[in-house]
Amino acid sequence: MVRGWLGVVAVAIGTFTVVTSEMMPVGLLTPMGEALNVAEGTAGLTLTITGLVAALSSPLLVSALGRFDRRAVLCGLMLVLVLGNLGAAFASDFGVMFLARVLVGIGMGGVWAVAAGIAVRLVPAGSVGPATSLIFSGIAVASVLGIPAGAYVGALAGWRAAFVAAAALAFLVVLAMAVLLPRLPAERPVPLGGVLRLCGEPRVRTGLVVVAALVTGHFAAYTYVRPVLEEVSGAGAGMIGTLLLVYGVAGVCGNFVSGAGARRSPRVTLLVISAVLAATVLLLPLVGGSLLVAGVLMAVWGLTYGGVSVSTQTWVLASSPDAREAASSLFVGVFNGAIALGALVGGRAADGVGLTAAMWVGGALAVAALPAAATGRAPVSGRF
């Protein structure tokens, strides 16, 4: 019993580490771009490629690795993440950075997808729900704390040190998983066709549409939040780290508030998130000139986006309780495809029109999530 929960904690720290590694460039765009001699919009492609690789590899990995022990799979994928972060830390040019971020995408997409089916094999039946929520809280917390953590390490020791720190954490997670997880032989293969057929389930499909709109909109804007804050509010590197930390702390609160709400009604929770997120993103370039106002808006942004991953994951898993790993691989694919698309769209808007244009695009996409959440098929509750 105790070892099972320790294994759950190890997997939760693993999901935190992979998503933190994915999002690390957001808080480091300016110094990364300068060191690699590329524009900020081009530097943002380091997020795009990772998300795209994770989106494509997640369903394929779940299918291809279906017959292997899950402990070995998780440890192997975390080692891929170690290599990717070290490659990014020592990248001499954008081409090397690009290849390193491909490795991060493979490790991240695989770990996230496989983690969905782990809790049921580690804890008693009555504890599966809380244990699964704990595993996915690592993703939510990383979404809001990983970026400010990277920004702080980057400000203190340089952006390369932030990637070294991520690699070190990933290696510690490998050791923890190897020690704390029992052998987890494959239960049954998950054919790729079975994964893709879940897209035909109306409730799953609606959840995927909502997450696509919200995550694309968020990352169209948030990938470029550092240069936008520098331009609109005049914040320096230290203040940027503080604003991102405010965002992160609020996001952790949002994860647990929205998680509780999603267990009662995923639809209502996501309607509130969509409306508030859209308003916040659109207001930042208009009224964010004051550091105080910018701080308030970043807190609200964190509070709302902190609930996106737990709410949408709850929606999708509650819509397919008998195919969690397959549904999770689809969710990971759409989520990370949306990250890649958002970073790309935001970057094109930032480079072509101006930095604040990324905010307009992000806000418009968050607005688009409202009709999908309001009118699509939804699970009655978030219990799975």
Side-chain angles (χ1 to χ4, degrees), residues 126 128-130 132-133 203 259-266 310-311 313-322 324 378-384:
V128 168
T132 302
S133 297
R203 295 174 301 172
R263 283 192 289 273
R264 292 190 297 270
S265 175
V310 67
S311 299
Q313 184 96 45
T314 296
W315 181 309
V316 171
L317 291 182
S319 300
S320 53
D322 297 324
R324 292 179 188 173
V380 175
S381 75
R383 304 289 179 182
F384 56 86

Side-chain angles (χ1 to χ4, degrees), residues 158-174:
W159 67 270
R160 294 182 188 275
F163 285 105
V164 172
L169 178 59
F171 185 71
L172 291 175
V173 172
V174 173

Side-chain angles (χ1 to χ4, degrees), residues 147-161:
I147 294 169
Y152 263 112
V153 174
L156 291 173
W159 67 270
R160 294 182 188 275

Side-chain angles (χ1 to χ4, degrees), residues 39-380:
E40 287 164 343
T42 302
L45 293 176
T46 57
L47 191 67
T48 301
I49 186 58
T50 302
L52 182 60
V53 169
L56 295 175
S57 65
S58 177
L60 295 174
L61 285 170
V62 166
S63 178
L65 300 175
R67 298 182 183 278
F68 291 90
D69 183 283
R70 286 310 192 237
R71 180 177 65 180
V73 167
L74 286 170
C75 289
L77 290 169
M78 290 300 301
L79 285 173
V80 172
L81 192 78
V82 171
L83 294 175
N85 279 317
L86 288 177
F90 296 103
S92 56
D93 54 44
F94 187 74
V96 175
M97 174 64 79
F98 188 92
L99 293 175
R101 297 295 292 173
V102 168
L103 291 177
V104 171
I106 292 171
M108 191 274 293
V111 169
W112 187 346
V114 171
I118 292 296
V120 70
R121 305 180 65 182
L122 296 177
V123 297
S127 300
V128 168
T132 302
S133 297
L134 178 59
I135 286 173
F136 287 119
S137 74
I139 295 165
V141 173
S143 299
V144 294
L145 283 186
I147 294 169
Y152 263 112
V153 174
L156 291 173
W159 67 270
R160 294 182 188 275
F163 285 105
V164 172
L169 178 59
F171 185 71
L172 291 175
V173 172
V174 173
L175 297 179
M177 287 179 170
V179 171
L180 297 175
L181 290 177
R183 291 188 68 251
L184 298 167
E187 292 179 312
R188 62 174 182 269
V190 183
L192 184 60
V195 173
L196 297 179
R197 274 194 294 274
L198 280 176
C199 292
E201 210 289 321
R203 295 174 301 172
V204 173
R205 187 170 58 244
T206 300
L208 296 177
V209 169
V210 172
V211 75
L214 283 176
V215 176
T216 302
H218 170 76
F219 278 95
Y222 195 62
T223 301
Y224 304 95
V225 71
R226 175 172 178 157
V228 167
L229 286 170
E230 290 171 340
E231 180 179 289
V232 173
S233 67
M239 183 54 67
I240 292 292
T242 300
L243 291 172
L244 292 177
L245 182 61
V246 167
Y247 166 93
V249 172
V252 173
C253 297
N255 170 60
F256 292 106
V257 171
S258 297
R263 283 192 289 273
R264 292 190 297 270
S265 175
R267 188 197 299 275
V268 171
T269 302
L270 282 165
L271 284 172
V272 173
I273 286 174
S274 300
V276 178
L277 184 62
T280 305
V281 171
L282 293 172
L283 283 172
L284 184 62
L286 294 177
V287 299
S290 160
L291 285 175
L292 177 60
V293 174
V296 171
L297 289 174
M298 290 299 292
V300 176
W301 192 344
L303 190 67
T304 50
Y305 186 73
V308 168
S309 61
V310 67
S311 299
T312 50
Q313 184 96 45
T314 296
W315 181 309
V316 171
L317 291 182
S319 300
S320 53
D322 297 324
R324 292 179 188 173
E325 194 169 280
S328 186
S329 70
L330 276 179
F331 177 84
V332 173
V334 172
F335 198 104
N336 287 282
I339 291 175
L341 181 60
L344 178 62
V345 170
R348 297 311 91 193
D351 287 346
V353 180
L355 287 170
T356 55
M359 300 290 124
W360 309 133
V361 172
L365 286 166
V367 169
L370 282 166
T375 61
R377 291 279 299 277
V380 175

